[in-house]
Amino acid sequence: MEWISKSKILIVGLGLIGGSYARALKRLGYSVTALSRRQETIDYALREGIIDAGSAAVDEALVGEADAVIFALYPGVFKDWIRENQSLLKPGAMLTDVTGVKSCIVYDIQEMLRSDVEFIAAHPMAGREVYGVENSDERIFRDANFIVTPTARNTDKAIDWCRSLGKLLGFRKVSVLSPEEHDEMISFVSQLTHCIAVALMTCSDNQHLVDYTGDSFRDLTRIARINDVMWSELFLLNKEPLLRQMDIFLKEFSELRDLLAAEDREGLCGKMRLSTERRAYFDR
């Protein structure tokens, strides 16, 4: 990990994920700085020892001395930042991100980026239903997956760099997918699940349900406590893959409903056996 041990790492966007990255890297002894919109965020991170230095404005010195920059920004904000500030980046700097969609971001960033810096995209499949650096916690990476999404523009060095970062942060498994493969996969395992949780919570306005529910409902709707600004942007940016997955889900749900309406117990059992078999993959 020599490339990291000698690096100064800048994190742009110090929320839950950016803050968790900072905690992990700082604990491991690396020089970590940050940019964030709110001065209160920087003050908290400095006070808690999460970062070594930071600024609520784009600080030319912090950007210019960074060997690696991790962007934890909304997709549109990320593009704007690169467009407006890439001239400040150190030649040879390695850039990565935590963005939840890829095809609509990666190619645009790489197209506009200077030739003497490299952007290698990644997606840490970790999170919580709370926000902000105050709730950051590097332990969320321990049982989580890390996905690197290179393109033809990326060098082997950059791909290895990004994979090493995922391992260093403590992710359980590091995988490599194309941006398109990533977006198709994420539309099912993440975005569709959030859609289902939201739909469940908007089905009923009974405020007394909390008095009657068990763990199954709480577990299934945990992610319904959602950042509407971020997730609506992610849904729209990945519209076509997500619509495909929603249509597949609606078809499966309709089949389940029809089996129930027809009192087809064997059909219901067949669906449940298939569900149990496939869920077992996640317990290995």
Side-chain angles (χ1 to χ4, degrees):
M1 302 297 181
E2 183 180 358
W3 60 266
I4 289 183
S5 64
K6 295 181 179 179
S7 291
K8 293 183 178 180
I9 302 173
L10 171 67
I11 297 174
V12 181
L14 203 60
L16 174 70
I17 299 299
S20 298
Y21 269 57
R23 286 181 185 273
L25 294 167
K26 184 73 163 58
R27 178 183 59 79
L28 292 167
Y30 306 122
S31 172
V32 180
T33 59
L35 303 179
S36 198
R37 288 184 305 171
R38 297 172 60 247
Q39 186 61 48
E40 295 91 337
T41 297
I42 297 298
D43 292 342
Y44 177 87
L46 287 169
R47 187 168 61 249
E48 295 296 315
I50 300 171
I51 58 175
D52 296 301
S55 174
V58 177
D59 185 297
E60 293 187 16
L62 291 182
V63 178
E65 69 185 13
D67 301 299
V69 186
I70 298 165
F71 290 91
L73 301 172
Y74 290 2
V77 177
F78 180 21
K79 286 185 183 180
D80 289 341
W81 197 102
I82 293 295
R83 191 176 294 110
E84 296 166 9
N85 302 298
Q86 64 167 301
S87 62
L88 305 177
L89 293 166
K90 180 179 181 179
M94 199 72 78
L95 316 182
T96 190
D97 71 332
V98 305
T99 315
V101 288
K102 294 304 178 193
S103 298
C104 58
I105 297 295
V106 177
Y107 299 108
D108 289 348
I109 295 291
Q110 291 183 336
E111 182 66 29
M112 73 173 76
L113 198 60
R114 289 163 34 198
S115 60
D116 60 346
V117 295
E118 186 168 355
F119 170 55
I120 172 69
H123 186 184
M125 295 291 291
R128 301 172 66 190
E129 62 275 18
V130 290
Y131 317 108
V133 69
E134 298 85 357
N135 294 300
S136 60
D137 185 347
E138 64 180 283
R139 291 174 294 182
I140 64 175
F141 302 146
R142 290 181 184 171
D143 293 318
N145 297 316
F146 186 85
I147 305 171
V148 183
T149 58
T151 73
R153 287 178 180 256
N154 286 121
T155 61
D156 290 341
K157 176 184 176 182
I159 297 170
D160 290 343
W161 176 90
C162 201
R163 291 174 65 124
S164 296
L165 177 62
K167 293 174 183 177
L168 191 73
L169 290 167
F171 282 88
R172 179 180 64 85
K173 183 175 178 60
V174 177
S175 301
V176 177
L177 296 175
S178 71
E180 292 78 14
E181 289 170 331
H182 168 275
D183 289 351
E184 195 67 45
M185 178 277 303
I186 210 71
S187 69
F188 178 66
V189 301
S190 179
Q191 294 180 342
L192 178 64
T193 56
H194 281 79
C195 288
I196 293 168
V198 168
L200 273 172
M201 292 309 304
T202 55
C203 277
S204 174
D205 63 356
N206 185 344
Q207 297 182 21
H208 298 288
L209 287 177
V210 67
D211 299 324
Y212 320 130
T213 53
D215 289 343
S216 59
F217 188 84
R218 283 190 289 269
D219 290 346
L220 197 57
T221 58
R222 176 184 61 81
I223 55 175
R225 187 177 178 181
I226 195 168
N227 180 333
D228 57 296
V229 176
M230 180 183 76
W231 280 98
S232 61
E233 182 175 356
L234 294 177
F235 286 178
L236 289 167
L237 288 171
N238 206 34
K239 174 184 170 183
E240 296 307 323
L242 180 54
L243 285 174
R244 284 195 293 272
Q245 295 302 333
M246 292 175 82
D247 289 341
I248 293 169
F249 179 81
L250 289 171
K251 178 177 178 293
E252 281 293 317
F253 197 83
S254 293
E255 288 181 6
L256 198 62
R257 181 202 176 280
D258 291 345
L259 290 170
L260 177 61
E263 298 186 10
D264 184 347
R265 184 169 185 176
E266 182 52 38
L268 288 170
C269 287
K271 289 284 189 185
M272 294 175 184
R273 285 193 294 267
L274 180 59
S275 169
T276 299
E277 176 185 332
R278 291 181 176 174
R279 183 58 180 82
Y281 300 156
F282 294 82
D283 298 325
R284 292 174 182 170

